[in-house]
Amino acid sequence: MGKITIAPLTRLEGHGKVTIKLDDSGKPADVKLHITALRGFEQFVIGRPAEEVPRIVPRICGICQTAHHLASVKAVDAAWGAQIPSAAEKQRELMHLGNMIHSHALHFYYLAAPDFVLGPDADPAIRNIVGVIDAAPEVAKKAIAMRRVGQSMVEATGGKPIHPVTGIPGGLSKSMSEEKRDELLAEIDTMIQYGQDGLDLMKSLNEKYLDTINSLGVIDTWYLGLVKDGKHNFYGDTLRFVSPDGSEKMEFKPAEYLDYLGEHVVEHSYVKYPYNKKVGYPEGLYRVGPLAMINVCDSMSTPLAEEARKEFAETFGRPANQSIAYNQARLIELLSACERAKELLEDPEIVSTDVKAEVEPKAGNGVGVVYAPRGTLFHNYETDDNGIVTKANMIVATTHNVPTMEKAIQQAAEVLFKDN
Amino acid sequence: MADKVRLGLIQLCGCSGCHISLLDLHEQLLDVLPNLEIVYAPIIADVKEIPECDVFLIEGGARNEHDEHLIHEIREKSKVVIAWGTCAVYGGIPGLGNLYSAEQLKKTVYGTETTDNVGELPSDEMVPPLTNSVMPVPSIVDVEYVIPGCPPRPEINAGAIVALLEGRDPELPKKIVCDECPRTKENVIPETFKRTFEGTPDPEKCLFEQGYTCVGMGTRAGCGALCPSAGVPCRGCYGKTDEVLDQGSSLANTYAAAGDEALKISDKSALFNRFTLPAALISKKQE
Ligand code: SF4
Ligand code: SF4
Ligand code: SF4
């Protein structure tokens, strides 16, 4: 029996290896994705004052740090029973959208587009963003501008573009200035336009690669995402599971997550495998991220993105189960994030200085959930009378997707090795 | 270095934020990139083997045996090795793991409330064993330069790259965060200390002097005092200055001036060495 190891797995933030064991006829018999890094955040936030934790956990991921910052501060707010002012909620949401715009632009243009724009068979040495800059400078220019505006949005509201710091229990330590608001407003229509251009580019590529999209990495799983009144929502409210064929739905609030989510320790990876507890392991494995978000919502919350979602459903079905359709789903969200950011920037409360309520530390248990750019994210802390963390649980975005990523690689391997 | 610099980049026990901060040069990337030949960067490109490099930027320290092995391999293959970002230079936030044993870390992570098979641990040969503690890069191999910051600001990254292209040594700020901080100081020692969410700090005055536990006086400048400017105390993410051996001891010295009140601050080891525990004089919990 042969064995193939692919290491390091590239263009995956974090650390991965894939091993493919082949049977005697050279067909893949066993495919494993090994996540090889562990840092232990659940342990080392214990003993820290809870208000410090939103400044520690962003280091889980340098790409979606803002989502960790916000899920974390929401968890502390919930544990201490803090009611935060509506202006603070809006400014936090804008911070979140900025991160979404940066991350989705990064993921599509810097990580996925090189394969599409330059072709999957291009020399690996140029099949990256540098190659895109040479081959399609217009595309690169838009990618850079979207990331810049996204990061500026985070810096304007969060104090730092990477690892923001303003989220404190009770609200924010600082409000956004009018000057920064005006700067962002001046660019937001262009960003919405770029968002639409990105979708057009994706659709033209789809035509070229539709066979690949419909054959590689097509798997049936549950989907988990966030909605508010049934509509797609980046920042919070209600979790929704949808079954592989779309027939079944389950909804729950963040505080009820223990009833719905389980995690299973596996031998071959530092990452645990989360699953829908009502269904069980492994049948209840699920996907999160853009594809899941588009699959679980009834509609998008902004008009242009909703048009795009309808078209997407026509092309890929509902729920769509093609892993490569993630790219188009991501672009729909990128457009929606720009549209929603515009709504917020036009709201006078976005520069209100009423952003902090009084809070008292106390013993409590709180769950904070946001949709991070790669998927729904959970932080849960327990605190003692002084507001010091005594217990923590985190289910982070990429973790949710690891088991199904493995499944998708398995399926892709079967297709790719079929003719050997 | 007249020709293109052959550059390698890797993320080890870090979060990839240092890489992202490099991308945060935004439009300026178009000026910097043509001078570089990126020959290895798992985050953006499909190259599996580590090639010979002129300059290698290592993000993150070592948390497992594989990280350690890669650091040695990179040293052998590179002319210039740079410990890039606070994790690589001092251990960074993952270094807080040094307050616990590796066994304890695993026990907690694989024993959370959502875990259904508590007691089982990853054990496959493909999963590299954890080291006993987080080790910064300079504690494993000699490095030519360090670039601290969590993450280093884009202009610090660009400054270092341009210096190397021009054959100069990259230089780091010598000052402290207080020197860049716009808040006014009256040289008073606070009578009591407050937690970040308590009260509303005066927006013009030094946070430390108002009783907030800012550590800007023991932290290398470079960020432009981002946190105090955003209303929250500095947490020391650029690490120590050149004058002192250990960020934590130097901060403890400053705070000692407040007498007993300073002793009441909770969780001092993770406050004064928030980002630098693995490089501190006492760098891990003694077992
Ligand atoms: S120094 Fe900070 S930004 Fe860089 S890898 Fe470490 S945690 Fe991430
Ligand atoms: S607020 Fe902090 S960084 Fe600013 S002067 Fe005071 S101690 Fe220094
Ligand atoms: S103020 Fe302190 S914690 Fe904040 S970015 Fe600067 S050095 Fe880091």
Side-chain angles (χ1 to χ4, degrees):
Chain A
M1 191 159 95
K3 183 167 157 184
I4 299 172
T5 304
I6 306 173
L9 209 56
T10 50
R11 290 184 282 171
L12 166 89
E13 73 288 356
H15 299 262
K17 275 191 262 193
V18 171
T19 51
I20 305 175
K21 285 193 182 141
L22 303 177
D23 65 16
D24 295 337
S25 62
K27 290 214 166 58
D30 185 27
V31 175
K32 290 259 181 328
L33 172 58
H34 312 270
I35 299 295
T36 53
L38 174 75
R39 289 167 295 166
F41 279 84
E42 283 98 336
Q43 174 66 63
F44 61 69
V45 300
I46 294 175
R48 313 284 87 82
E51 73 277 15
E52 297 295 324
V53 176
R55 298 189 68 176
I56 293 174
V57 295
R59 275 79 185 180
I60 291 174
C61 169
I63 299 172
C64 65
Q65 5 72 23
T66 308
H68 286 282
H69 181 61
L70 293 170
S72 177
V73 77
K74 277 185 174 200
V76 182
D77 286 334
W80 294 358
Q83 296 296 328
I84 83 159
S86 75
E89 278 293 15
K90 287 177 185 166
Q91 294 179 33
R92 281 183 182 180
E93 185 184 347
L94 186 68
M95 192 195 312
H96 187 51
L97 293 170
N99 181 243
M100 193 63 62
I101 294 168
H102 126 77
S103 177
H104 274 11
L106 172 82
H107 199 115
F108 176 69
Y109 290 103
Y110 291 65
L111 304 180
D115 288 348
F116 293 118
V117 173
L118 304 164
D121 300 325
D123 176 358
I126 63 149
R127 189 159 38 87
N128 55 47
I129 181 65
V130 186
V132 174
I133 292 173
D134 289 339
E138 275 308 297
V139 174
K141 201 187 98 192
K142 289 177 187 167
I144 287 173
M146 290 193 99
R147 276 204 67 253
R148 175 174 49 73
V149 171
Q151 293 292 71
S152 310
M153 227 175 251
V154 179
E155 187 162 14
T157 45
K160 286 176 74 185
I162 296 172
H163 305 320
V165 295
T166 54
I168 56 175
L172 291 168
S173 64
K174 189 179 190 258
S175 57
M176 178 161 71
S177 69
E178 293 187 20
E179 189 193 340
K180 293 277 184 227
R181 187 260 324 263
D182 295 344
E183 277 171 31
L184 292 167
L185 258 181
E187 292 202 270
I188 197 70
D189 284 323
T190 313
M191 293 307 113
I192 294 174
Q193 184 56 50
Y194 286 179
Q196 286 182 293
D197 298 347
L199 267 167
D200 289 341
L201 171 68
M202 186 72 239
K203 280 184 271 179
S204 69
L205 295 170
N206 271 347
E207 283 156 27
K208 214 160 133 195
Y209 295 111
L210 202 59
D211 282 350
T212 312
I213 293 171
N214 281 326
S215 62
L216 271 197
V218 180
I219 49 172
D220 283 343
T221 63
W222 282 76
Y223 298 97
L224 174 67
L226 270 180
V227 291
K228 189 171 186 179
D229 303 322
K231 286 187 181 163
H232 178 281
N233 196 294
F234 292 106
Y235 186 63
D237 209 54
T238 304
L239 291 133
R240 186 188 271 182
F241 266 125
V242 167
S243 63
D245 63 0
S247 64
E248 231 185 302
K249 263 186 211 145
M250 299 175 189
E251 284 197 354
F252 60 102
K253 292 288 180 187
E256 302 168 306
Y257 87 109
L258 286 177
D259 296 334
Y260 288 86
L261 298 186
E263 289 181 286
H264 194 79
V265 182
V266 296
E267 254 190 6
H268 65 273
S269 181
Y270 273 132
V271 153
K272 289 177 278 186
Y273 282 26
Y275 60 93
N276 178 335
K277 210 167 168 177
K278 301 278 177 200
V279 180
Y281 180 83
E283 295 74 26
L285 290 179
Y286 58 84
R287 283 190 274 186
V288 294
L291 184 67
M293 287 288 281
I294 302 289
N295 279 340
V296 305
C297 70
D298 301 334
S299 63
M300 299 301 291
S301 64
T302 55
L304 296 173
E306 173 57 9
E307 285 307 306
R309 186 199 62 84
K310 285 187 192 143
E311 212 178 307
F312 175 88
E314 276 165 31
T315 314
F316 298 105
R318 203 170 141 69
N321 51 17
Q322 303 86 337
S323 298
I324 302 181
Y326 262 99
N327 290 312
Q328 187 158 336
R330 187 170 288 116
L331 288 167
I332 297 172
E333 289 195 333
L334 178 56
L335 175 60
S336 190
C338 295
E339 288 184 281
R340 175 68 186 143
K342 185 179 178 187
E343 289 172 12
L344 285 168
L345 286 165
E346 286 173 342
D347 184 328
E349 273 199 312
I350 209 69
V351 288
S352 160
T353 53
D354 177 18
V355 291
K356 170 76 178 33
E358 288 295 320
V359 282
E360 289 287 331
K362 61 171 190 156
N365 187 309
V367 183
V369 172
V370 295
Y371 165 57
R374 275 156 199 72
T376 325
L377 165 65
F378 295 77
H379 280 256
N380 176 202
Y381 315 132
E382 206 168 275
T383 56
D384 68 11
D385 294 338
N386 291 322
I388 308 293
V389 175
T390 53
K391 200 155 111 185
N393 193 10
M394 300 162 202
I395 307 181
V396 311
T398 355
T399 307
H400 293 277
N401 276 329
V402 162
T404 48
M405 224 190 282
E406 182 173 85
K407 245 177 125 171
I409 298 169
Q410 168 122 33
Q411 190 273 354
E414 277 159 20
V415 175
L416 294 173
F417 281 83
K418 206 164 52 195
D419 311 320
N420 277 12
Chain B
M1 293 181 190
D3 295 334
K4 280 193 180 191
V5 167
R6 289 171 55 85
L7 180 70
L9 305 139
I10 198 168
Q11 177 204 350
L12 298 175
C13 184
C15 75
S16 75
C18 293
H19 281 75
I20 300 301
S21 194
L22 188 60
L23 295 183
D24 280 359
L25 284 169
H26 303 304
E27 280 75 6
Q28 250 185 294
L29 269 179
L30 302 174
D31 304 329
V32 174
L33 283 176
N35 297 305
L36 305 172
E37 188 187 347
I38 299 179
V39 290
Y40 186 81
I43 275 191
I44 58 157
D46 273 337
V47 178
K48 308 288 183 199
E49 288 291 317
I50 298 178
E52 302 279 326
C53 292
D54 295 321
V55 178
F56 213 111
L57 295 171
I58 303 181
E59 179 200 277
R63 171 79 264 190
N64 62 50
E65 292 173 6
H66 188 58
D67 295 339
E68 229 184 316
H69 165 83
L70 285 169
I71 290 170
H72 284 290
E73 183 176 345
I74 288 164
R75 175 69 279 179
E76 274 163 31
K77 293 185 171 166
S78 318
K79 292 188 195 132
V80 171
V81 174
I82 302 182
W84 184 33
T86 290
C87 290
V89 185
Y90 305 114
I93 287 287
L96 290 175
N98 285 11
L99 293 167
Y100 313 87
S101 68
E103 285 318 301
Q104 179 63 40
L105 283 180
K106 283 195 271 184
K107 206 174 143 209
T108 302
V109 170
Y110 301 106
T112 59
E113 246 175 311
T114 30
T115 310
D116 65 13
N117 52 343
V118 176
E120 284 179 42
L121 296 175
S123 53
D124 194 280
E125 51 171 19
M126 296 305 287
V127 186
L130 297 186
T131 44
N132 284 327
S133 59
V134 171
M135 290 177 289
V137 177
S139 74
I140 299 173
V141 295
D142 287 335
V143 301
E144 276 71 20
Y145 305 106
V146 302
I147 306 180
C150 180
R153 292 286 289 171
E155 42 301 353
I156 298 183
N157 287 327
I161 292 172
V162 170
L164 288 170
L165 286 169
E166 293 174 353
R168 289 183 286 117
D169 288 346
E171 277 182 41
L172 293 177
K174 298 254 181 295
K175 296 184 167 177
I176 54 176
V177 173
C178 297
D179 296 327
E180 303 184 308
C181 181
R183 292 175 177 267
T184 54
K185 281 141 281 198
E186 293 163 358
N187 289 317
V188 294
I189 300 291
E191 280 169 15
T192 54
F193 288 101
K194 284 187 277 220
R195 290 166 68 176
T196 313
F197 57 84
E198 290 180 76
T200 310
D202 182 305
E204 312 290 336
K205 293 186 178 157
C206 167
L207 289 169
F208 173 71
E209 295 185 356
Q210 297 181 64
Y212 293 97
T213 54
C214 191
V215 303
M217 71 294 281
T219 304
R220 190 192 291 273
C223 70
L226 287 173
C227 302
S229 305
V232 289
C234 171
R235 284 293 170 254
C237 83
Y238 275 61
K240 71 182 188 70
T241 57
D242 294 329
E243 275 77 57
V244 299
L245 265 179
D246 175 9
Q247 191 178 22
S249 337
S250 97
L251 283 166
N253 250 333
T254 308
Y255 273 73
D260 284 355
E261 284 301 312
L263 294 177
K264 290 189 206 154
I265 298 171
S266 63
D267 199 29
K268 285 178 284 299
S269 54
L271 173 64
F272 294 156
N273 277 123
R274 171 71 54 87
F275 290 86
T276 49
L277 200 58
L281 294 174
I282 298 173
S283 64
K284 74 182 291 280
K285 194 179 169 201
Q286 307 300 307
E287 281 152 44

